[in-house]
Amino acid sequence: MRVNAECRFPLSQNAPHRSISISGTTFPAGLPGAATCDPLPDTAGSPSPADDYRGFGDFVANGWRFKHFFVNLHIQEQACALSARQSPQLSILFPFMDYNHQEIERRWQQYWRDNDIYKVSEDESRRKFYVLDMFPYPSGAGLHVGHPLGYIASDIYARFKRMQGFNVLHPMGYDAYGLPAEQYAIQTGQHPEKTTVDNIARYREQLEKIGFSFDWSREVRTCDPAYYHWTQWAFMQMFNSYYDLDVDKALPISELTARFAANGTEGVHAACGKPMSFTAAEWNAMSEKEQRDVLMNYRIAYQGETMVNWCPALGTVLANDEVSEGLSVRGGHPVEQKLMNQWCLRVSAYAPRLLRDLETVDWSDSLKETQRNWIGKSEGAEMKFAVDGKDLVLDIFTTRADTVFGVTFMVLAPESKYVALLTTPEQKAAVDAYLEEVKHKTERERQIDKKVSGVFTGSYAVNPLTGEKIPVWVSDYVLAGYGTGAIMAVPAHDSRDYAFARHFNLPVIPLIEGADVSEQSFDAKEGKMINSKGPGLDLNGLEVKDAIARTKKYIEEAGLGRVKTNYRLRDAIFSRQRYWGEPFPVYYKEGTAYLLDESELPLRLPPVSSYLPTEAGEPPLARAEGWTTKEGYPIEVCTMPGFAGSSAYYLRYMDPHNDKELVSRKADKYWRNVDLYVGGAEHATGHLIYSRFWNKFLYDLGLVVEAEPFRKLVNQGMIQGRSNFVYRIKNTNTFVSRGLRKDYDTTPIRVDISLVSNDVLDTERFRNWRPEFADAEFVLEDGKYICGYAVEKMSKSMFNVVNPDDIVERYGADTLRLYEMFLGPVEQSKPWDTNGIDGVNRFLKKLWGQFEKSDSDAEMTKEEKKSVHKLIKKVTADIENFSYNTSVSAFMITLNELIQQKSRSRRAMEVITRLLAPFAPHIAEEFWHRLGHEGSVVDAEWPEYDESALVEDTVKYPVSFNGKTRYMVEVAAAASKEDVEKAALSDPNAAKWLGDKAPRKVIVVPGRIVNVVI
RNA sequence: GCAGAAAUGGUGGAAUGGUAGACACGAGGGACUUAAAAUCCCUUGCCCGAUGAGGGCGUGUGGGUUCGAGUCCCACUUUCUGUACCA
C-alpha cells in the first residue's frame, strides 16, 4: 500500500503547525499498524493548513506512542478520487515517539551483547590503543554516582579512539581480595568468596546499565585461581631473583650463587638487607640452610626481620601506604610498630628507576610530585663517628654535611642495636625505662604527642672533624627505619634538634653568619659559614651550598665517610596474617623457606573452619586441614596483600585466558602498555608504585616489552555528597529553615537526600522517615522548608548517597553519562547535585524532537554546516584534552542553533549522531539505525571538519578605548588592518569617546579586537 | 612544617593576554492547560538611572608588567588534597 497524503494539523493551538507525510518512508519500517487508514487510492494534492481535527487519544505499542487523530480532509475532488466507501474523514495513527530512554537503552544494550560489539582481539593491521580504568573493589554497598565518573570519561575516550580507527582494548575486572569481605566473614561465618561473588554480580549489573564499552570476555578477578596463579608465579620469580646494582636490573639468583661459588662477595654489588662479606671458600663450606639464609638477604621477594606496622584490631601487618596518621586506612584502627619476620618485596632497589622514569610518563605534575615525595630521594653524606673508649663506629646520614662543626650531641633511635652497646651501667636503668615507655606508645600516640623525650646513654662519640667528645642520647624522634637510625644533632640549624637541646640544656652553636638562634633554629640552607674551622677543614666564609660540597669531598678523601643518596621508599611488606588473599607458594623445611614447584600452581586457597586467628595467634590458614606439601612440609600460612593482585592486572587483560603464561609474548608485544589510565589519586603512593615496580621487574626478566605500565594517567576527581540538615529548636518539636537564624537555639539533624529537592524538604515524607518527629512543626519560608547542607564524602551514614541505578531508571544512562561529564572538569572534585540533571535530560529530549523533525536529505545550508563543523572541531579537540564538560555544552549550543535555524537536515543529525556516540551511545545507536545504517555506531567513522565551512564573511570587532570596550564594528573578513582601523574610527560612536583628542595609537588584532589609545 | 592544586554571579562552571560570566541549574515573569505536569517565550553579576537611553563597578587581597590582565610576575589571605619528627 502506498499512501501519499500530506496532512497538516496543529498539535495544540499555539504550537507551530507540524506536517507529516503519511507514506512508507516516514514510518519506521516494521511497525504494526503504522497507518490504519482505510485503503486510499494514490492521492495527489495537499490539504489546506486549516484542516480541522477532532478527538484524539494516546496509546502505546512497541515503545511508540500513537496519537489518534480524525482529520477532515479538505482535498479537492479532482485531486483525489475517493470512492464511495472512503470517508473524507481520515483516521490517522500518528506515531509520536517520546524519548523513551528505557526502551532504547534496553534495546541497544541487548544488541551490543548479542553481537559482541565490544569484543576485541589482536589485529596487527590496526594500531592499538589501551584504555584502562582502575578496577574496583566490589564492596557490599554497590556503586554510587561517584564511581562511574572515571569510567565514563575513559569510555568516551575509548569510543572516540575506536571511531578514529584504533583497535581499542578497554577491559574491566575486580580487585576482589580485600578486608571488608573477610571482616564480614568473621561476623557472619559466610565465606568471603560468596560475598565477593554476590557483590561482583551487583557491580556488573550496575555497570552494564550505564552502557560502557567494556570487553567483558576479558574480565579478571584477583581471587580467581586462574588469575592468582600468575600472582603466585610472579612472586616465585621475585624469590628467584636478586637486584644487581652494576647492571641496574634484576637477575636470576642462580647467577649470584655462581658468583658466590667462584669469588664470594668479591665484586658483587647487589641490593641487600645487610652488607655481607665472605670468600668463595666460605660460601662453599656453608650448609644448604646457611647458603639459603645468605641468599634471603639478596632475593627480591625475601623474608626479613623488619619493623612493621602491626594493627592489633585487624590482626595483621600493613604496608606504609595502608596506614595514615597512625591508623589503618581500612577501618581506622590504631597501628603499632613491631619487629616481625615478614615477606617483603625489595621495592627500594628500584627507587632510582622509579624516580627517573617518572620523566617518561604523561602524568599530572601533582601526581608525579606525590610519587617523588614518596620515593624521597635525598642526597647527602654518610659519616662515621667513633665512640669514645669503645671499638665502635656510629654511621649517620646527613644532608647538611656543612654543619658538622655544630654537632653538640648525637641521637639514636630507640630500636637501634647501638643503644644496648652504648648504654653505660650507670645509665642502664634510665635507658631501659625509656625504651619500655616508647615501646608502649602506638604510632598514633607517637605522632600526636610531640613532647620532647629522650635519655642519655652515658657514652660519648668523637666529632671526626674537631675531635670533640659529644654525648650520645636516645630519643624516639629519630626513626629506626630511615638512614642509619642514628643522627648527628645540630641544634642551631635543625628545629627538632633545637627543641631537644633546649629541653635537655645542651649547647647550641650557630654556624651561619647573622643567624639568630636564641629563640629558634635557623633551618634555611643559606648564608655564610662561621665557627667552622677544624684541623683539616676550614669552611668559614663559604656559602652553605659550597660548604656542603667541600665537606663531602673532604670526608671522602679523609676516609671519614662517603657521599650517599638515601631513599625514603622502603621495601614493601608482603605478608598479611589474614585469610582472604593469595596463598604463598612456599613451604618450610627445617625452618627454611622453599618454593613449591611451578607445576603446583595455582596453590588454591583452602577452606577454613573460622576466619579468626588461631588460639596460638597464628593466621587463619593455620586452621586449614592438610595445609602441607605431599611430603608433609608445612605451607606458609600468611597470605599476600591486596596490592599483589592489582599490580599486574593490566598485563593479564591482554591475554586473560592464557593458562601457560601470565601474558603471551605476542599479546604483550601488540598491546604493550596502557595508553590511558584513569583512576583516583588515592592510589598515588600505593598501587601506582607497586605496579610500576612489578612491571619493571618483569621488564628486567624480559617478560614484558615496556618499562612503564601506564603511559598517560588521568586522576578523576571525587564526587562528594551533599548532606542535608534540618534545624530543630532545642527541646521543642519546631524546625526552622537553614539554621541561619542565630536567635534560635538549634541542633542540626541529618535528612536523607531523597527527601530534599532544590534544598526544599518534603516535610510530609520527613515525618514518615523519622517517626519520632511525626508531629514536628516546620517554620516555613514562602511556604517551603529550606534545608541547610554541607559537602561531605558520599557515604551511607551521612544519608547523602545517590545511586546511579535510580538516575538511570528515571533519566537514562545517556543522561547520567552526559550529566556526570557536564558537572565540570573530570579531574576536579565536586559535589553531586541531582538538580542540574534536568538540563542535560532536556537537551536529549530536544535533540530527539529535532531528530524527528529532520526529514530533509538536502545538502546542509551554509549556516547548518557552520554550526555542525564548529561542533566537530570543538568536540574533537575537547576529547583530546579531556574537557568533556565543554563538549557537552557545545552540543547544546549546536542544537540550539539548529533549532533557531529551523533546520530539518538529516545530514546535520547524522554528523551529530557520530559526535555524540562516545558520550551518549544509546541514543546515538538509535539515531544511527533510524538513519538507515546497518552496523553499530561504535564503528562509525569519526567526522572531520571542513575549515572552509567555518570561515565568516564578516567579522565583528569590539572597539575599546584604553582597554574598555565601547562599541562593535562589523567589517569584511578580508579587510586589512588599516580598513579595520578606519571602520572603527569612522563609526558614529567614535566621536563620543575620542572627544577632541586624536588617537595616540590604534592597535588592531586581526579577527580579535581594536584598541584605541588616547 | 613541606609539597601540589585552587579562589569567577544565588549554584555547577566557561573564557589561545583581546567583548568576563559561554552552557546549564535555580529564580522571576509570560504563553498553553478546566487544572497540574510537560513544553515554549522573555528577564536574570552588582550599582546609578525612570522600567528607557546611557553610565559606573566587577574574577580572594595589595602591588607590578602591558595598548589591553580572570589569564603573566611579586607579596599576602583563605580553601582543598597529599605528606610528615625522613636528619
Side-chain angles (χ1 to χ4, degrees):
Chain A
M1 180 190 80
R2 187 157 165 264
V3 182
N4 256 335
E6 174 146 310
C7 305
R8 287 170 190 272
F9 47 86
L11 290 175
S12 73
Q13 281 180 355
N14 221 35
H17 280 62
R18 178 154 174 188
S19 73
I20 57 162
S21 67
I22 306 171
S23 74
T25 55
T26 44
F27 289 95
L31 276 172
T36 57
C37 46
D38 286 331
L40 274 178
D42 282 4
T43 52
S46 31
S48 84
D51 285 341
D52 53 329
Y53 68 97
R54 69 184 163 81
F56 59 90
D58 292 3
F59 70 93
V60 175
N62 274 21
W64 290 77
R65 196 163 94 210
F66 292 93
K67 274 187 193 290
H68 195 178
F69 292 92
F70 298 98
V71 180
N72 291 314
L73 292 172
H74 298 263
I75 299 172
Q76 288 175 338
E77 297 247 339
Q78 59 270 49
C80 177
L82 297 166
S83 73
R85 61 176 291 269
Q86 289 157 344
S87 159
Q89 186 184 71
L90 182 60
S91 164
I92 301 170
L93 286 179
F94 176 59
F96 190 88
M97 192 173 173
D98 282 336
Y99 170 48
N100 181 340
H101 61 267
Q102 286 167 330
E103 227 297 305
I104 293 168
E105 291 177 1
R106 203 177 314 124
R107 174 166 49 227
W108 296 114
Q109 283 172 11
Q110 189 65 47
Y111 169 85
W112 296 331
R113 264 195 302 274
D114 292 348
N115 294 283
D116 284 333
I117 292 290
Y118 300 121
K119 200 172 161 136
V120 285
S121 54
E122 292 79 68
D123 175 357
E124 298 291 345
S125 69
R126 285 158 74 205
R127 285 177 63 200
K128 71 96 185 187
F129 202 90
Y130 188 173
V131 178
L132 183 64
D133 296 289
M134 290 184 186
F135 63 171
Y137 173 76
S139 84
L143 294 173
H144 63 62
V145 289
H147 293 111
L149 181 77
Y151 304 156
I152 296 168
S154 62
D155 195 56
I156 290 169
Y157 206 85
R159 288 172 179 274
F160 168 68
K161 280 289 167 186
R162 178 161 175 179
M163 289 176 77
Q164 284 191 327
F166 287 86
N167 190 25
V168 177
L169 176 58
H170 189 212
M172 180 48 85
Y174 305 96
D175 187 13
Y177 277 132
L179 283 175
E182 183 163 356
Q183 293 296 80
Y184 188 72
I186 290 170
Q187 285 160 25
T188 63
Q190 187 173 84
H191 196 288
E193 176 150 19
K194 169 84 171 76
T195 317
T196 305
V197 166
D198 290 352
N199 290 349
I200 286 177
R202 170 109 195 275
Y203 265 60
R204 173 68 180 269
E205 197 186 317
Q206 288 188 296
L207 290 169
E208 291 259 11
K209 280 189 192 162
I210 303 172
F212 294 117
S213 62
F214 297 131
D215 176 358
W216 284 109
S217 74
R218 289 173 183 259
E219 181 198 291
V220 299
R221 302 174 181 196
T222 54
C223 65
D224 178 357
Y227 179 88
Y228 67 67
H229 181 144
W230 301 105
T231 310
Q232 292 171 334
W233 174 84
F235 169 82
M236 290 170 74
Q237 309 313 305
M238 291 180 193
F239 183 87
N240 280 329
S241 302
Y242 79 105
Y243 198 88
D244 191 295
L245 296 169
D246 288 328
V247 293
D248 206 14
K249 64 186 253 190
L251 293 176
I253 198 93
S254 56
E255 291 192 21
L256 186 65
T257 316
R259 289 175 70 178
F260 284 162
N263 304 309
T265 50
E266 184 67 40
V268 171
H269 297 106
C272 60
K274 55 176 187 284
M276 284 189 167
S277 173
F278 50 78
T279 64
E282 283 167 337
W283 168 260
N284 293 323
M286 288 181 200
S287 68
E288 185 187 335
K289 181 175 167 32
E290 285 167 335
Q291 287 190 343
R292 289 188 80 92
D293 285 348
V294 169
L295 291 179
M296 201 52 107
N297 189 40
Y298 292 91
R299 296 182 194 276
I300 288 186
Y302 67 95
Q303 229 170 358
E305 287 267 319
T306 43
M307 290 301 293
V308 297
N309 305 299
W310 173 255
C311 179
L314 295 173
T316 187
V317 303
L318 297 169
N320 280 344
D321 65 281
E322 292 168 323
V323 180
S324 177
E325 295 180 351
L327 300 175
S328 67
V329 172
R330 292 254 180 213
H333 306 290
V335 172
E336 313 173 343
Q337 295 298 297
K338 201 170 163 182
L339 194 65
M340 283 178 76
N341 195 30
Q342 296 289 307
W343 284 103
C344 302
L345 301 184
R346 208 176 293 284
V347 180
S348 61
Y350 283 83
R353 282 165 67 191
L354 290 171
L355 187 67
R356 194 195 320 140
D357 287 356
L358 278 176
E359 283 163 33
T360 67
V361 293
D362 181 8
W363 297 9
S364 72
D365 288 340
S366 69
L367 183 61
K368 284 189 188 184
E369 196 58 27
T370 306
Q371 289 232 330
R372 281 191 203 105
N373 290 341
W374 191 259
I375 296 167
K377 181 177 181 171
S378 91
E379 290 174 326
E382 204 167 82
M383 238 183 274
K384 293 179 195 307
F385 280 66
V387 178
D388 186 46
K390 290 202 172 78
D391 187 19
L392 275 176
V393 171
L394 288 178
D395 282 319
I396 60 94
F397 176 76
T398 180
T399 53
R400 293 293 302 271
D402 60 308
T403 59
V404 197
F405 292 100
V407 176
T408 54
F409 58 102
M410 297 187 71
V411 187
L412 301 176
E415 298 84 1
S416 170
K417 63 177 183 187
Y418 289 103
V419 174
L421 300 172
L422 267 69
T423 303
T424 58
E426 306 82 65
Q427 287 298 102
K428 189 163 187 341
V431 170
D432 284 351
Y434 182 68
L435 295 185
E436 192 60 22
E437 184 193 324
V438 168
K439 212 162 96 184
H440 287 290
K441 273 202 238 176
T442 65
E443 191 65 11
R444 176 107 181 130
E445 285 163 350
R446 224 169 121 155
Q447 284 181 11
I448 288 174
D449 179 22
K450 292 202 175 174
K451 260 194 299 191
V452 178
S453 69
V455 63
F456 178 44
T457 60
S459 294
Y460 291 83
V462 180
N463 187 321
L465 293 193
T466 63
E468 268 177 274
K469 288 210 294 185
I470 46 180
V472 181
W473 288 65
V474 181
S475 173
D476 66 355
Y477 86 86
V478 174
L479 303 178
Y482 183 77
T484 60
I487 61 152
M488 63 177 211
V490 186
H493 303 289
D494 181 287
S495 56
R496 294 154 301 176
D497 298 345
Y498 188 85
F500 195 84
R502 282 288 181 244
H503 190 262
F504 290 107
N505 254 325
L506 295 158
V508 177
I509 306 173
L511 299 172
I512 291 170
E513 202 173 72
D516 174 15
V517 295
S518 58
E519 292 293 328
Q520 56 180 356
S521 61
F522 180 86
D523 291 14
K525 289 188 188 179
E526 59 197 31
K528 278 199 167 58
M529 304 300 296
I530 53 168
N531 298 335
S532 298
K533 187 168 178 193
L537 182 69
D538 180 4
L539 301 174
N540 285 340
L542 289 179
E543 281 293 323
V544 168
K545 235 191 193 159
D546 303 325
I548 293 174
R550 179 80 161 273
T551 314
K552 279 186 181 172
K553 191 159 172 260
Y554 175 76
I555 59 167
E556 271 206 327
E557 286 166 0
L560 300 172
R562 62 196 176 103
V563 171
K564 189 164 184 213
T565 302
N566 247 342
Y567 292 90
R568 204 183 71 104
L569 184 70
R570 281 179 247 176
D571 288 348
I573 313 239
F574 204 59
S575 307
R576 295 292 179 275
Q577 290 68 31
R578 303 286 297 196
Y579 173 72
W580 191 230
E582 301 87 347
F584 282 83
V586 167
Y587 66 93
Y588 293 92
K589 194 159 89 183
E590 284 141 31
T592 299
Y594 286 83
L595 290 183
L596 293 176
D597 192 82
E598 269 189 35
S599 65
E600 299 193 50
L601 296 185
L603 174 64
R604 287 167 187 270
L605 186 64
V608 290
S609 54
S610 157
Y611 303 103
L612 287 168
T614 64
E615 301 283 309
E618 282 201 286
L621 277 192
R623 296 171 184 274
E625 272 178 53
W627 193 233
T628 60
T629 62
K630 284 181 265 273
E631 299 78 18
Y633 295 116
I635 297 177
E636 169 69 62
V637 291
C638 285
T639 53
M640 298 185 193
F643 69 82
S646 59
S647 287
Y649 75 115
Y650 60 92
L651 290 171
R652 193 61 184 163
Y653 280 136
M654 297 174 182
D655 196 7
H657 306 297
N658 191 334
D659 59 1
K660 303 283 183 299
E661 303 157 278
L662 166 63
V663 53
S664 74
R665 192 97 198 122
K666 180 168 168 276
D668 182 60
K669 274 183 100 164
Y670 182 72
W671 297 114
R672 305 192 74 85
N673 59 3
V674 177
D675 295 282
L676 174 67
Y677 197 25
V678 178
E682 67 272 18
H683 295 109
T685 54
H687 164 61
L688 286 174
I689 291 271
Y690 298 130
S691 214
R692 293 180 64 218
F693 152 76
W694 204 286
N695 186 82
K696 283 187 189 304
F697 170 73
L698 296 174
Y699 175 77
D700 285 353
L701 267 54
L703 297 169
V704 302
V705 295
E706 293 282 352
E708 281 292 333
F710 314 118
R711 195 191 298 272
K712 180 178 169 72
L713 189 142
V714 172
N715 287 126
Q716 90 269 16
M718 269 217 307
I719 291 200
Q720 294 138 319
R722 197 180 147 108
S723 307
N724 295 279
F725 301 93
V726 293
Y727 303 88
R728 183 169 60 132
I729 302 171
K730 229 177 227 170
N731 305 321
T732 70
N733 225 355
T734 304
F735 290 81
V736 292
S737 279
R738 294 240 203 236
L740 294 176
R741 291 148 73 169
K742 295 282 186 264
D743 51 324
Y744 289 104
D745 188 15
T746 60
T747 336
I749 293 168
R750 283 180 186 274
V751 181
D752 193 275
I753 189 163
S754 66
L755 306 177
V756 180
S757 165
N758 290 331
D759 299 344
V760 177
L761 177 71
D762 185 328
T763 53
E764 212 38 60
R765 284 173 59 209
F766 174 75
R767 291 189 180 103
N768 291 331
W769 186 64
R770 292 287 294 268
E772 68 266 40
F773 299 128
D775 48 357
E777 296 283 331
F778 291 91
V779 177
L780 305 180
E781 288 176 13
D782 303 330
K784 298 165 187 164
Y785 183 89
I786 312 290
C787 291
Y789 69 89
V791 172
E792 300 175 304
K793 204 183 147 193
M794 207 174 262
S795 130
K796 256 186 178 170
S797 62
M798 293 167 177
F799 301 111
N800 61 5
V801 172
V802 180
N803 187 318
D805 299 358
D806 298 342
I807 306 283
V808 168
E809 177 72 22
R810 175 146 177 227
Y811 297 98
D814 287 338
T815 297
L816 174 74
R817 292 170 62 108
L818 281 177
Y819 184 56
E820 293 223 359
M821 295 302 101
F822 189 60
L823 273 176
V826 175
E827 297 91 337
Q828 202 169 298
S829 287
K830 54 240 159 184
W832 177 267
D833 180 3
T834 305
N835 294 327
I837 204 166
D838 287 323
V840 287
N841 191 239
R842 259 173 227 154
F843 159 72
L844 286 179
K845 285 189 201 159
K846 260 158 75 173
L847 184 70
W848 183 269
Q850 177 63 21
F851 187 90
E852 284 217 312
K853 240 181 267 177
S854 301
D855 53 5
S856 161
D857 282 317
E859 287 285 343
M860 282 187 261
T861 63
K862 203 174 159 189
E863 268 191 316
E864 287 167 341
K865 210 173 164 198
K866 193 192 284 176
S867 292
V868 166
H869 283 253
K870 209 169 63 187
L871 182 68
I872 301 173
K873 186 176 181 180
K874 175 79 177 146
V875 172
T876 308
D878 280 352
I879 294 180
E880 294 286 7
N881 296 327
F882 264 75
S883 179
Y884 297 150
N885 54 331
T886 51
S887 287
V888 178
S889 76
F891 280 115
M892 293 172 171
I893 291 168
T894 303
L895 177 60
N896 290 344
E897 284 174 358
L898 291 177
I899 291 171
Q900 188 87 57
Q901 293 160 17
K902 301 209 180 341
S903 167
R904 296 173 64 157
S905 167
R906 275 160 61 93
R907 296 187 186 211
M909 293 311 291
E910 209 262 349
V911 176
I912 291 175
T913 298
R914 291 176 200 245
L915 294 175
L916 191 64
F919 296 85
H922 307 87
I923 196 173
E925 192 77 276
E926 175 77 19
F927 287 166
W928 191 246
H929 286 260
R930 287 176 71 186
L931 285 163
H933 295 286
E934 285 297 321
S936 170
V937 72
V938 167
D939 289 312
E941 217 177 294
W942 188 255
E944 302 219 351
Y945 66 93
D946 177 359
E947 194 69 60
S948 67
L950 305 176
V951 176
E952 307 269 352
D953 296 335
T954 61
V955 185
K956 277 188 181 151
Y957 281 88
V959 180
S960 54
F961 287 77
N962 288 344
K964 283 196 197 304
T965 308
R966 297 304 180 182
Y967 56 88
M968 308 290 293
V969 289
E970 189 165 359
V971 296
S976 68
K977 271 191 172 190
E978 289 72 25
D979 292 342
V980 175
E981 181 177 333
K982 209 184 286 170
L985 294 175
S986 61
D987 190 273
N989 286 301
K992 178 175 168 191
W993 297 104
L994 273 176
D996 47 4
K997 291 178 220 122
R1000 277 203 288 141
K1001 194 173 167 188
V1002 180
I1003 290 147
V1004 179
V1005 184
R1008 285 271 171 215
I1009 198 171
V1010 178
N1011 190 19
V1012 182
V1013 187
I1014 49 174

